[in-house]
Amino acid sequence: MAKHDDAAFVADFSLASQVVADVLGNEGMLSPLASPKATKAVLEAHGLDTKYSLGQNFLVNDAILRKIVDLAELDPADYVLEVGPGAGTLTIALLKCAGRVLSVERDPDLPQVLERTLKPWWDRYALISKDAVELQVADLEANAPQFERVLPNKLVANLPYAVAATVVLGYFQDFGFLDSATVMVQKEVADRMCAQKGTKNYGAYTVKLHLYAQPAGRFPVSPNNFFPPPRVDSAVLRLNRVEVTDDDGNVLTPAQLRDVCTVADAAFANRRKTISNSFKTFFAGRGAVGATVLENLPELLAAAGIDPKRRGETLDQAEFVRLGAAYRALLGE
């Protein structure tokens, strides 16, 4: 986006500062940016506009912010990881309720905005300029604070919709220190995250996510709560981390969980076909591992107690866990 010249910038930001100052005077608001007027003013002061390519839709309803922090059950002992802080609207609410916040933002134009909107809380805030999908534990460790918690324990975010599903599953898989995620996502994604066995939204993604977390609350959010309004309905969903066990009560290791994820993908490779045919599609052309599975497919399914004529959407979590164990045993892992 084009930037203002210096004189215009100073004049515009003076106006934006007054708008924000006026809203700050309203003690009933959780975030001073939770209005279209304040959000527009702050963006315009920096010569910015929303970026459709980055999926930027800024939340501008203070009541929704309150519902988010209530659902997340934040307290001063919490260290929150946020993805996509935007201008800092939700971030301010998080900083008012939690002890510390670390945000991840890929837009190179927004750090200058956050330096100003979050200035009163800067001693309890850190920012990583990076694509959230590429975030690593090392990035978080490099920002380890002198705080009760060294690494974040909760993810709370208004997620960019294009990467929401990937981020949520990936963070639960890779960041074992996260106890929960309270996230704004597209309604259809929330439906997949909450789906039950046998329903149209139940698929490989649902099976994999539920190996790490289970839904623990949800509420809808309509498009008119954003600037600009998205073309889809949204939902805020809380997911709490869980431990999955095998039939003997043993907690699955990360490697065992990955095996269950693999067989879940295989079971839904051809959703309308039997699990046997779906496995054949998935493992064809997958080298030595795929050849081993295909040569021993009847025995693998029998070891897990799965009828080869069933479809993936009829299997529950315990059956997928048994299927993952049979797969692991077949490969001698």
Side-chain angles (χ1 to χ4, degrees):
M1 297 295 173
K3 303 293 191 299
H4 292 297
D5 59 42
D6 290 345
F9 174 84
V10 171
D12 284 353
F13 192 72
S14 296
L15 174 61
S17 297
Q18 185 58 51
V19 171
V20 175
D22 290 344
V23 183
L24 276 170
N26 183 349
E27 296 181 356
M29 289 194 72
L30 187 59
S31 175
L33 298 180
S35 74
K37 183 178 180 181
T39 297
K40 287 180 184 178
V42 170
L43 291 175
E44 290 173 359
H46 293 80
L48 303 175
D49 198 352
T50 56
K51 297 180 181 178
Y52 179 80
S53 63
L54 298 182
Q56 291 179 344
N57 301 98
F58 296 95
L59 186 60
V60 290
N61 187 325
D62 202 64
I64 299 298
L65 293 177
R66 291 185 178 279
K67 293 183 71 172
I68 291 173
V69 297
D70 287 346
L71 185 60
E73 298 182 337
L74 300 180
D75 65 48
D78 287 322
Y79 179 10
V80 174
L81 175 62
E82 181 192 23
V83 171
T89 306
L90 174 59
T91 320
I92 292 173
L94 298 177
L95 285 162
K96 286 185 175 181
C97 299
R100 186 171 174 84
V101 176
L102 172 65
S103 298
V104 184
E105 176 59 63
R106 64 176 293 192
D107 187 344
D109 290 327
L110 289 179
Q112 59 173 327
V113 180
L114 295 167
E115 285 182 11
R116 290 181 169 176
T117 59
L118 303 181
K119 186 175 181 180
W121 304 275
W122 204 251
D123 61 327
R124 296 190 289 108
Y125 180 74
L127 176 67
I128 296 175
S129 295
K130 190 170 188 177
D131 189 328
V133 176
E134 300 173 357
L135 190 68
Q136 303 291 323
V137 174
D139 298 315
L140 303 176
E141 291 176 338
N143 286 272
Q146 298 298 317
F147 182 61
E148 182 174 342
R149 300 180 187 275
V150 176
L151 293 170
N153 64 308
K154 291 183 177 180
L155 171 66
V156 186
N158 176 15
L159 292 173
Y161 289 170
V163 299
T166 300
V167 165
V168 171
L169 176 58
Y171 283 17
F172 272 116
Q173 289 177 322
D174 298 337
F175 304 153
F177 39 83
L178 287 178
D179 298 326
S180 68
T182 303
V183 291
M184 178 94 69
V185 297
Q186 188 173 334
K187 176 185 176 297
E188 287 74 14
V189 173
D191 290 342
R192 289 170 59 201
M193 291 178 171
C194 297
Q196 299 295 313
K197 181 188 73 170
T199 63
K200 67 176 183 179
N201 291 307
Y202 183 75
Y205 181 85
T206 311
V207 174
K208 292 187 288 186
L209 180 61
H210 289 183
L211 293 171
Y212 301 90
Q214 288 288 334
R218 172 180 176 173
F219 64 86
V221 183
S222 62
N224 60 6
N225 291 292
F226 298 90
F227 166 73
R231 298 177 180 177
V232 297
D233 288 328
S234 306
V236 173
L237 174 68
R238 173 165 173 164
L239 296 153
N240 288 343
R241 183 176 291 280
V242 295
E243 287 187 331
V244 173
T245 59
D246 61 19
D247 290 340
D248 296 324
N250 301 309
V251 176
L252 269 60
T253 66
Q256 290 172 323
L257 289 169
R258 286 195 296 271
D259 288 335
V260 181
C261 289
T262 297
V263 298
D265 285 331
F268 288 94
N270 277 323
R271 186 178 182 90
R272 297 182 182 277
K273 293 188 177 181
T274 65
I275 193 168
S276 178
N277 286 332
S278 190
F279 261 60
K280 291 175 182 176
T281 297
F282 182 84
F283 284 104
R286 290 182 177 259
V289 169
T292 299
V293 171
L294 295 179
E295 290 170 5
N296 299 275
L297 185 55
E299 292 79 9
L300 186 155
L301 295 174
I306 305 297
D307 184 337
K309 294 182 180 180
R310 291 177 64 184
R311 291 181 170 83
E313 58 265 32
T314 70
L315 273 62
D316 60 23
Q317 186 179 79
E319 290 175 309
F320 275 110
V321 169
R322 287 196 290 273
L323 192 55
Y327 170 74
R328 189 173 185 81
L330 175 64
L331 299 182
E333 298 179 356

